[in-house]
Amino acid sequence: MATTGVVNGTDLRIYKGGTAIGRATTCSLSITREMREILDKDNTGSWVTSAPGRKSATLSTDAFFTYDTSNVKPETLFTDLDNGTLITWRFTTDETGDKAWDGSGYVTSFSVSAAVEDNTTYSVEITVSGAISLVTES
């Protein structure tokens, strides 16, 4: 059943190859479109004319660092970065009828934070490669 009302942030997750990234505490998808300026000698006024250009996107997540999750482990994401592996991802609530974003990309950032007497966490950024598809969960 499709989610109604405001989506609870707990429900959205990043999946790698069909498996959720384990122990995630945050996740985000950022999609941007560059604008290209159109300037010629007939258009020398103070107002800029623009047209749509290229699109790009990144995903990021923060998670508790653990070796015992049944989902995607931190060392798997490090290995993807180290090997330059193209991965498939999905950003979704995993609820039938909800929208989800699908694509491929590369892990381009991996960091671990371990403060005294605090939970160890890690952060990952995925740079999208190619087009993103908006699909309906089934």
Side-chain angles (χ1 to χ4, degrees), residues 4 26 32-33 45 48 55-56 74 87 97-98 108 123 137:
T4 58
T26 67
T32 60
R33 179 185 282 277
V48 173
K55 296 176 274 187
S56 63
I87 64 170
D98 283 359
T108 53
S123 299
E137 286 289 353

Side-chain angles (χ1 to χ4, degrees), residues 21-41:
I21 292 178
R23 302 300 305 262
T25 57
T26 67
C27 61
S28 67
L29 169 62
S30 176
I31 304 169
T32 60
R33 179 185 282 277
E34 295 176 7
M35 296 302 290
R36 55 187 180 84
E37 188 173 306
I38 300 172
L39 180 64
D40 58 45
K41 293 181 183 199

Side-chain angles (χ1 to χ4, degrees), residues 9 30 34 50 53 65 68 78 83 94-95 103 136:
S30 176
E34 295 176 7
S50 300
F65 192 97
D68 62 359
F78 166 77
N83 293 335
D94 207 25
E95 288 288 327
T136 301

Side-chain angles (χ1 to χ4, degrees), residues 28-123:
S28 67
L29 169 62
S30 176
I31 304 169
T32 60
R33 179 185 282 277
E34 295 176 7
M35 296 302 290
R36 55 187 180 84
E37 188 173 306
I38 300 172
L39 180 64
D40 58 45
K41 293 181 183 199
D42 295 330
N43 179 14
T44 58
S46 60
W47 288 99
V48 173
T49 302
S50 300
R54 299 181 305 170
K55 296 176 274 187
S56 63
T58 58
L59 295 105
S60 61
T61 190
D62 298 310
F64 290 121
F65 192 97
T66 181
Y67 294 111
D68 62 359
T69 179
S70 60
N71 289 321
V72 176
K73 295 173 176 51
E75 64 265 28
T76 302
L77 296 164
F78 166 77
T79 301
D80 292 334
L81 180 143
D82 195 37
N83 293 335
T85 305
L86 181 68
I87 64 170
T88 58
W89 57 265
R90 178 173 272 202
F91 189 73
T92 182
T93 62
D94 207 25
E95 288 288 327
T96 300
D98 283 359
K99 296 295 183 185
W101 291 267
D102 280 340
S104 298
Y106 294 94
V107 176
T108 53
S109 174
F110 179 90
S111 63
V112 178
S113 178
V116 172
E117 292 300 317
D118 202 356
N119 297 320
T120 301
T121 60
Y122 72 100
S123 299

